[in-house]
Amino acid sequence: MARSKIALIGAGNIGGTLAHYAALKDLGEVVLFDIKAGVPEGKALDLAQVGPVDGFNGKVTGTTDYQDIAGADVVIVTAGVPRKPGMSRDDLVDTNLKVMRAVGDGIKTHAPDAFVICITNPLDVMVWALQKMSGLPTNKVCGMAGVLDSARFRTFLADEFGVSREDVSAFVLGGHGDTMVPLVRYSTVAGIPIPDLIKMGWTTQERIDALVERTRFGGGEIVKQLGTSAFYAPAASAIQMAEAYLKDEKRVLPCAAYLTGQYGVDNYYVGVPAVIGADGIERVVEVSFEKAEQDMFNHSVEAVKELTAAAIKIDPSLG
Ligand code: A3D
């Protein structure tokens, strides 16, 4: 059987890390694409030379030519610019929208059957634009944010309780911005909901509230220290989604999915739990909200809608 092909559009910090994870997990042949000649080729050569040491045989190549992504099964998009300290994700709209136009054309022409995972920020608007610009079906285009935001919340919760990170599950829904909605009621330690753990005296509501706030600004915390965006955990999160598609795992993962009435939202990409399998986003899972959760979710959706309207102003063909 032929190996799967994974095309990575953008060979920067996340792109390079994605290639490394994809190779180590032997997910298939990896093609790194970037407009900066030399970068994808150089990174690919370096990564291919990891093969003899770590035991993977899939080809890793670098290119500046879209023809080389032809027939890709998965395309992961990180092309564009990341945040610098003091910037919000929303400050990137103008620049990254133009990048999505070129990437959308490349995918439409050369990899129209791929499952596309967008990571470029501001995520919910970029994935929405990329779907329109590529013309791929909405179930085959999604955004990575929820797995990362949930991983951040899970890390903070595990540290708080002094338990394994693996035993903590959490959902973070809504847009990938400061309005994201970490759902405490649906977050558990080995199936025990956080509110029960508060009653059991493991922690307090105040401490959980502080962790929710830290999760909301978890990306910014790293930008401030590093001077640029996080890349290890974002790459690991997108690879988990790619693997779910390639292996038809039916994983239930929070991701930016196109909504057609679910959660009362129509024609926008918003972070929700979804089943990922061989058909891409196979199903959106609709959980019920309490009043306060619904208010937070609505607030987050409003932020996504406002930014989408701003994108349409910049590129009226999207309207
Ligand atoms: P960086 O290391 O700068 O890599 C971006 C790469 O894109 C660079 O190598 C550029 O040369 C390349 N590029 C620019 N324009 C094009 C183009 N038209 N076609 C192909 N390649 C191009 O950034 P990064 O890898 O750290 O981050 C990439 C994106 O991910 C940024 O927009 C970040 O804000 C975003 N990001 C999102 C999350 C989420 O959770 C959604 C987390 C972290 C970063």
Side-chain angles (χ1 to χ4, degrees):
M1 210 170 73
R3 287 173 190 275
S4 299
K5 180 167 174 177
I6 298 130
L8 307 172
I9 312 296
N13 281 341
I14 304 180
T17 314
L18 284 166
H20 194 189
Y21 274 121
L24 290 179
K25 286 180 161 259
D26 225 354
L27 290 186
E29 182 184 327
V30 177
V31 180
L32 267 167
F33 173 97
D34 205 289
I35 48 166
K36 249 189 236 160
V39 172
E41 295 89 343
K43 285 198 181 183
L45 190 57
D46 185 13
L47 283 162
Q49 292 162 4
V50 176
V53 182
D54 272 321
F56 61 84
N57 291 301
K59 270 202 300 189
V60 186
T61 51
T63 185
T64 51
D65 184 348
Y66 268 112
Q67 286 193 24
D68 294 325
I69 74 161
D73 299 286
V74 169
V75 177
I76 308 180
V77 179
T78 60
V81 290
R83 284 194 281 172
K84 296 227 157 41
M87 282 174 97
S88 100
R89 294 179 180 92
D90 301 359
D91 295 333
L92 309 172
V93 181
D94 209 346
T95 310
N96 286 350
L97 206 52
K98 292 188 188 90
V99 174
M100 289 307 106
R101 173 70 66 193
V103 176
D105 282 346
I107 294 174
K108 186 197 285 186
T109 310
H110 300 285
D113 297 321
F115 178 56
V116 178
I117 303 168
C118 181
I119 307 185
T120 303
N121 269 322
L123 193 268
D124 309 276
V125 178
M126 289 304 128
V127 63
W128 174 87
L130 185 62
Q131 187 278 324
K132 285 195 174 251
M133 290 163 170
S134 66
L136 266 59
T138 51
N139 62 308
K140 298 294 282 295
V141 182
C142 66
M144 187 298 294
V147 176
L148 171 66
D149 295 329
S150 300
R152 287 181 174 149
F153 194 31
R154 289 170 66 191
T155 305
F156 301 149
L157 289 170
D159 290 351
E160 167 70 7
F161 296 130
V163 300
S164 163
R165 288 169 190 159
E166 271 182 289
D167 290 329
V168 179
S169 69
F171 266 173
V172 177
L173 308 187
H176 178 61
D178 304 342
T179 62
M180 69 179 79
V181 186
L183 278 187
V184 172
R185 211 161 48 90
Y186 286 107
S187 303
T188 73
V189 172
I192 309 164
I194 303 296
D196 289 9
L197 291 164
I198 295 174
K199 281 188 209 140
M200 287 156 63
W202 279 40
T203 186
T204 61
Q205 186 63 53
E206 291 68 35
R207 289 180 71 88
I208 294 297
D209 290 346
L211 299 185
V212 163
E213 210 50 17
R214 188 171 177 202
T215 302
R216 285 210 174 104
F217 296 94
E221 185 177 346
I222 293 172
V223 173
K224 217 165 142 188
Q225 288 174 327
L226 196 60
T228 189
S229 293
F231 48 96
Y232 295 113
S237 303
I239 288 293
Q240 187 172 66
M241 294 167 67
E243 199 169 10
Y245 171 77
L246 289 169
K247 298 183 179 168
D248 192 20
E249 289 175 335
K250 317 285 186 204
R251 292 291 311 265
V252 181
L253 298 172
C255 52
Y258 189 75
L259 299 184
T260 52
Q262 301 94 332
Y263 291 96
V265 179
D266 241 326
N267 305 327
Y268 288 95
Y269 273 86
V270 178
V272 291
V275 178
I276 302 183
D279 281 334
I281 301 295
E282 297 188 346
R283 181 173 164 193
V284 168
V285 183
E286 272 188 274
V287 296
S288 62
F289 290 140
E290 288 180 345
K291 169 89 174 65
E293 294 162 348
Q294 184 71 58
D295 289 348
M296 280 193 289
F297 186 79
N298 291 349
H299 178 54
S300 189
V301 170
E302 276 317 306
V304 172
K305 287 184 178 173
E306 272 173 33
L307 204 56
T308 306
I312 295 172
K313 260 197 187 155
I314 295 167
D315 184 343
S317 73
L318 287 167

